[in-house]
Amino acid sequence: MEIIMSVLAGILFATGVYNLLQKQLLRIVIGTALISHGAHLFILTMGKLKTGAPPILVKGVEQYTDPLPQALILTSIVISFGVTSLLLVLAYRAATLNKTDNMEELRGSEDE
Amino acid sequence: MIYAVFAPLVMTLLIPFFNKWKDKIHTGWFLLPIPLFIFLYFVQFIGEGFSPVAESYQWIPSLNISIDFYLDGLSLLFVLLISGIGTLVLLYSIYYLHKSERLGHFYIYLFIFMSSMLGVVLSDNVYVLYTFWEFTSISSFLLIGFWHYRERSRYGALKSMLITVFGGLSLFAGIVTLTYITGTTSIQEMINQKDIIIDSPLFPLILIFIILGAFTKSAQFPFHIWLPDAMEAPTPVSAYLHSATMVKAGIFLIARFSPILAGEPMFFIIVSLFGIITLCWGSYMAVRQTDLKGILAFSTISQLGMIMAMLGFGTKAAIFAAVFHILNHATFKGSLFMIAGIVDHETGSRDIRKLGGLMTFMPISATLALFGVFSMAGFPLPFLNGFYSKEMFFEASLHLDGYGGQFIPFFQQAIPYLAVFGSIFTFVYSMYFFFGTFRGEAKMGELPKKPHEAPIGMLISPFILVLGVILIGLFPNLVNGTFIAHSAEAIYGSAVEKDIYFWHGLTYPPLIMSIIVVVLGTLLALTRQKWAGIYTIFPRNLSFNEVYNYIVDKTETASTKITNKYMTGSLRHYVLYILIAILVVSGVVFFLTNGFAIDTSGLSTLKLSDVPDILVGLTMAIAAIGTIFTNNRLSAIIILGVVGYGLAILFVIYRAPDLALTQLIVETVTVAIFLLCFYHLPDLKKIKEKPSITLTNSIISIGFGALMTIIAISAHSSKWFEPISNYFLETSKPLGGGYNVVNVILVDMRGLDTLFEITVLGIAALAIYGMIKLRRDKEAK
């Protein structure tokens, strides 16, 4: 199972990176979102899958899944959400100000 | 001694105050006593029974760097030159520089230079020597660029700075290597460890480094090019720095390290070969110049080459002659520079083509120049010191032995001929300098000012120097026993006794060489107009200035080109560099350390109940790939949503309820924001890419995905120790007081993470608010 999930994470990374290399701003933001999904899946897979009950203590249950990766992912989800929203607004501002969302046209001036 | 060295430096602090009264009294008068006192202080050391004096002061004891002063014969000669000529130049500058000039700046730079030059010649500690050495470069840079509003001044200052600092850094490399080998920072102790240094495999490096430092400073071929351009400095500076003192710092360095380096065939070849080349090239090129100071600059180059060559010879006679010529050159060249300055000052021009016939207007200057010029030419008269050193140079060039090898004997035979060749041209430019300026027809119409004799104050300094020329010429043995012999001894290592005579008899070979020089030189000087065309054939435009300009120009354009090549401004390129670096570095490390390993034992086995997760995973994979191919922005966002919700379902399946909850909410909000934004963004049109670009993108992204998969699988297959999660599970209730372990971790056990994650959200919110609300451009209206 972990191998399948690893491959899925790999696919998410690959498509994310491919989007990141495109020219439209929106695609780049989509790429970052895909990469963060991939990273979350990656972390979850690293903590082993399906080894017990959800990490909510119940009397009588001995085996729980690993709670630490979940805590890490939770933090990461929130942060990537913040970053993604910021990126989106930035993309919106950049596109409206410069009248283009093509990254090749958003290169800055020569003398910078 | 330390007071003498640092007195000018301390004085620079007071110069701004003196400078306030410069309208009433020229600033220079306040400063004149300083170099004079230093001179008088060092004069007391002169004498037959001189023995070296050492002083030591702590500076950085932990690095073995202390301010050690060591006054031996060599240092004494140089400190007397520096302070003596310094006094004269200061006096001269009082009359030369008008009160409207920035006198404060001038004297501050000059005094920094004086201090650092005294420091260079007195330091025994190599690092202190290096410090002072660079200070001379910096103050020389400031002095050359004194009239900074002139483009030529700035060019000359930059050029001298680049070349001398290049040499200075090379010297630094040399002394670091020397300290590394010997374990000491004192020059005298290094001399005691001579054998260790010579036997070291690093010896050739040290030799090259030190010689490079000396050659750049002393304007040796091919680093001589900065000196003619340094003539943009005010004339007192040219007289002081670029004839008598700073350009001799390289000579001093070679002399100082001679006890270690001399005697090696490599040292002999490099130093004397380049010295002789410099002598010939400098004197040859000097005849071509039209600027008075240009002639003197090339003349200085050639005379420095002559001294350097003699140091390279390394025989007793040669070293004695070198030391003697250092003194002689300082006297006559200093006076000639001052006279060139007087001519410039009183006629308004330094161009020898416009000058001529000034003898009747400026009889005193002309007389002084006459002595200086004939001394420089080495004319055989018993009251000119230049002749003695020239004759000793010829004698030294004839008696070279002690080295074997294939090339050396041939070279040794060629040296006397080259020496005579260089001397003939020395004679020619000397005559050209004098007769071109003071004899011939007066061209009154072409001069900006009506020429007249200089004020008496301006003539004092060259007069004293010319007096020196004559006194040394008449009584050479006066300076011989008292300090020339001590200097030569410091360089050679053992006592050098030599008496200087004017007359050795008719059959004395150096005399014959001198006569050849005078005869041929006179002939060439008289027929100069006829053969001057040779300069259009050789060197034509082929000069080392071109090389320098080419290098400076190319370093700028080439680095710009390289930077423009990879700093394209395209985000895609930068992302590509990062990804390729990740791929290559991790891939290679992975391969080298044999990191890929699959161990299936720890994995959960595939069961029928796993079908739902596989289906979800499949959907996600298809959706993720779909984002690439869709051209509709709405569908791109929806498909992205599919991936997010799929991940939430996976979280459900893999027993992570909190994650699933958060992921669902976050995904919903994100999709909402995406939809809000996309309404304002331009349509997601398909941009036609070149196939090659699509191919690179695919390869890179597939490679990156594959790398992550491999890392995930390999990491999974190698478990080194048990996770610490059992601790969290066990102590969640007793210590944290909660049943939901994930939440206890978030707010209790690792609460700090949560605090800053909240901060991140807050900052993001503020930034978004700012971006939307704050408009500084026209849009705001």
Side-chain angles (χ1 to χ4, degrees), chain A residues 1-59 62-97 99-110 112, chain B residues 568-573 575-576 579 598 600 602-604 606 609-610 613-614 617 620-621 624-625 627-628 630-631 633 636-637 640 643-644 647 650-651 653-659 662-663 666-667 669-670 673-674 677-678 680-687 689 694 697-698 700-702 704-705 708-709 711-713 715-716 719 723-725 728-729 732-733 738-743 745-746 750 753 757 760-761 764 767-768 771-772 774-775 777 779:
Chain A
M1 200 66 235
E2 277 82 358
I3 289 178
I4 294 171
M5 285 303 135
S6 303
V7 172
L8 180 60
I11 291 171
L12 288 179
F13 275 119
T15 50
V17 165
Y18 190 88
N19 272 313
L20 208 58
L21 291 172
Q22 299 304 304
K23 285 176 182 165
Q24 300 100 322
L25 271 174
L26 193 62
R27 278 214 193 277
I28 291 170
V29 186
I30 290 176
T32 56
L34 280 174
I35 288 175
S36 54
H37 287 328
H40 299 156
L41 191 62
F42 188 94
I43 300 173
L44 190 74
T45 315
M46 291 297 96
K48 289 200 175 178
L49 304 168
K50 286 197 193 173
T51 46
I56 294 167
L57 300 176
V58 178
K59 266 213 175 70
E62 282 296 310
Q63 192 71 28
Y64 295 101
T65 53
D66 198 334
L68 190 58
Q70 298 192 10
L72 297 182
I73 294 169
L74 199 59
T75 310
S76 168
I77 288 176
V78 175
I79 289 174
S80 60
F81 165 66
V83 173
T84 308
S85 354
L86 186 68
L87 267 181
L88 270 171
V89 178
L90 195 64
Y92 154 70
R93 282 284 289 156
T96 43
L97 268 183
K99 313 257 185 307
T100 176
D101 73 332
N102 188 339
M103 284 308 292
E104 294 299 301
E105 291 168 19
L106 293 172
R107 280 198 187 191
S109 58
E110 269 298 304
E112 228 167 1
Chain B
T568 53
S570 157
L571 183 69
R572 177 175 169 267
H573 287 154
V575 174
L576 270 184
L579 290 173
I598 298 183
T600 45
L603 303 176
S604 47
L606 280 174
S609 59
D610 289 334
D613 7 341
I614 292 171
M620 281 172 72
I625 295 165
T627 55
I628 296 170
T630 176
N631 290 327
R633 45 194 177 158
I637 292 161
L640 186 64
V643 180
L647 192 61
L650 280 184
F651 287 152
I653 297 175
Y654 294 132
R655 327 265 161 85
D658 300 291
L659 283 191
T662 320
Q663 178 66 27
V666 163
E667 196 56 35
V669 177
T670 312
I673 300 176
F674 263 105
C677 275
F678 104 98
H680 297 280
L681 285 178
D683 199 12
L684 197 63
K685 279 190 282 281
K686 184 78 182 171
I687 295 176
E689 293 277 22
T694 320
N697 287 356
S698 322
I700 294 292
S701 39
I702 290 171
F704 190 73
M708 292 313 280
T709 310
I711 289 175
I713 294 173
H716 218 278
K719 283 268 171 355
I724 58 162
S725 299
F728 294 126
L729 292 167
S732 172
K733 176 71 183 78
Y739 294 100
N740 187 332
V741 184
V742 173
N743 289 359
I745 291 176
L746 280 177
R750 299 183 56 87
D753 292 356
E757 154 198 344
V760 167
L761 265 193
I768 290 169
M771 263 195 292
I772 292 174
L774 299 179
R775 306 274 160 99
D777 45 21
E779 213 183 333

Side-chain angles (χ1 to χ4, degrees), chain B residues 506-520:
Chain B
L506 257 179
T507 49
Y508 185 58
L511 183 68
I512 298 166
M513 287 160 84
S514 286
I515 291 167
I516 295 172
V517 166
V518 171
V519 172
L520 282 180

Side-chain angles (χ1 to χ4, degrees), chain B residues 262-298:
Chain B
E264 293 302 300
M266 201 172 153
F267 176 81
F268 167 72
I269 290 181
I270 297 177
V271 177
S272 38
L273 180 66
F274 279 92
I276 284 281
I277 292 176
T278 314
L279 165 65
C280 295
W281 183 256
S283 55
Y284 176 72
M285 290 298 285
V287 184
R288 185 198 198 188
Q289 307 301 313
T290 53
D291 180 16
L292 284 186
K293 279 170 86 177
I295 299 174
L296 291 176
F298 275 101

